[in-house]
């Protein structure tokens, strides 16, 4: 994941910090932050530049007052955003949701250069409840995510054995020739 002035991915609070929206809407924009992580891919940008890009994404996929709880809606917006950047979006989804299949899906997607975006509806780890995150790395010890502009690492046991009601998608932007 690219380094944005010391951050690890985007931070949805930057939307309010840089005047792109109000704190109320920024608090509901985790799906916007995950989308921006994918759209920026490996670009090196300043925090301010990332906030401006997030603001543009926010205006295209503005969440409801309860956030953006639909993977289908989020993906539809991502297709439009990728097309507006002159790219197409390669997507893959897991066929099974048991621990072994999800781990294989995540590792395969990351190995192919995809970001894995996860929407949690419920998780016993409070920071993951009703929250979109971007999985950026995986190894035998666990996986690493980007959330709120920070890097978090969870063991596989913490993540899967305690994970409930989540949707996963692997995403990669591909330039249109």
């Amino acid at each position: 994941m690219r380094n944005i002035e010391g951050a690890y991915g985007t931070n949805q609070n930057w939307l309010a910090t840089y005047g792109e929206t109000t704190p109320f809407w920024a608090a509901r924009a985790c799906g916007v932050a995950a989308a921006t992580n994918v759209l920026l891919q490996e670009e090196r940008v300043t925090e301010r530049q990332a906030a401006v890009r997030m603001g543009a994404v926010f205006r295209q996929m503005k969440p409801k007052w309860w956030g953006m709880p639909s993977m289908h809606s989020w993906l539809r917006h991502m297709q439009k955003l990728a097309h507006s950047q002159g790219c197409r979006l390669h997507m893959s989804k897991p066929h099974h949701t048991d621990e072994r299949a999800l781990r294989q899906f995540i590792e395969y997607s990351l190995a192919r250069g995809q970001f894995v975006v996860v929407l949690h509806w419920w998780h016993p780890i409070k920071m993951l409840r009703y929250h979109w995150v971007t999985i950026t790395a995986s190894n035998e010890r666990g996986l690493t995510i980007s959330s709120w502009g920070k890097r978090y690492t969870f063991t596989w046991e913490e993540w899967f054995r305690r994970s409930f009601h989540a949707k996963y998608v692997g995403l990669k932007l591909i330039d249109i020739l």
Side-chain angles (χ1 to χ4, degrees):
M1 170 128 297
R2 87 219 134 268
N3 191 344
I4 304 170
E5 293 181 335
Y8 192 75
T10 57
N11 180 339
Q12 66 197 73
N13 283 330
W14 296 341
L15 287 165
T17 301
Y18 291 100
E20 296 293 326
T21 192
T22 66
F24 175 87
W25 289 110
R28 287 144 180 85
C30 53
V32 171
T36 306
N37 282 341
V38 174
L39 294 169
L40 287 173
Q41 289 208 4
E42 297 302 320
E43 286 183 48
R44 295 214 177 268
V45 295
T46 65
E47 188 177 293
R48 173 71 177 129
Q49 290 169 323
V52 169
R53 288 286 284 280
M54 244 190 314
V57 172
F58 178 85
R59 287 182 284 285
Q60 293 274 327
M61 64 166 34
K62 186 176 179 186
K64 306 292 184 205
W65 67 266
W66 59 86
M68 186 174 283
S70 166
M71 177 68 79
H72 177 76
S73 173
W74 187 87
L75 287 170
R76 193 175 62 246
H77 287 295
M78 281 298 296
Q79 290 282 18
K80 290 178 186 175
L81 288 162
H83 185 72
S84 73
Q85 285 190 206
C87 298
R88 65 183 175 86
L89 193 63
H90 173 78
M91 294 183 286
S92 57
K93 295 181 185 177
H95 298 291
H96 303 284
T97 55
D98 63 85
E99 180 178 343
R100 187 178 60 76
L102 284 174
R103 184 172 174 177
Q104 286 176 341
F105 169 77
I106 290 167
E107 290 178 348
Y108 178 75
S109 296
L110 292 172
R112 292 179 58 201
Q114 296 179 324
F115 287 92
V116 178
V117 178
V118 181
L119 166 59
H120 293 98
W121 286 301
W122 168 256
H123 200 288
I125 298 173
K126 188 176 181 181
M127 71 156 294
L128 297 175
R129 285 183 201 154
Y130 311 107
H131 191 53
W132 292 83
V133 299
T134 310
I135 298 175
T136 58
S138 169
N139 60 40
E140 64 283 343
R141 293 173 303 187
L143 51 87
T144 301
I145 67 167
S146 168
S147 178
W148 299 98
K150 295 182 181 170
R151 176 190 307 226
Y152 296 92
T153 301
F154 296 94
T155 67
W156 288 107
E157 185 173 281
E158 284 176 304
W159 186 266
F160 290 117
R161 294 218 168 89
R162 298 178 67 197
S163 189
F164 300 95
H165 310 293
K167 293 286 185 181
Y168 300 76
V169 64
L171 298 167
K172 183 175 185 176
L173 290 182
I174 301 167
D175 291 329
I176 298 172
L177 302 177

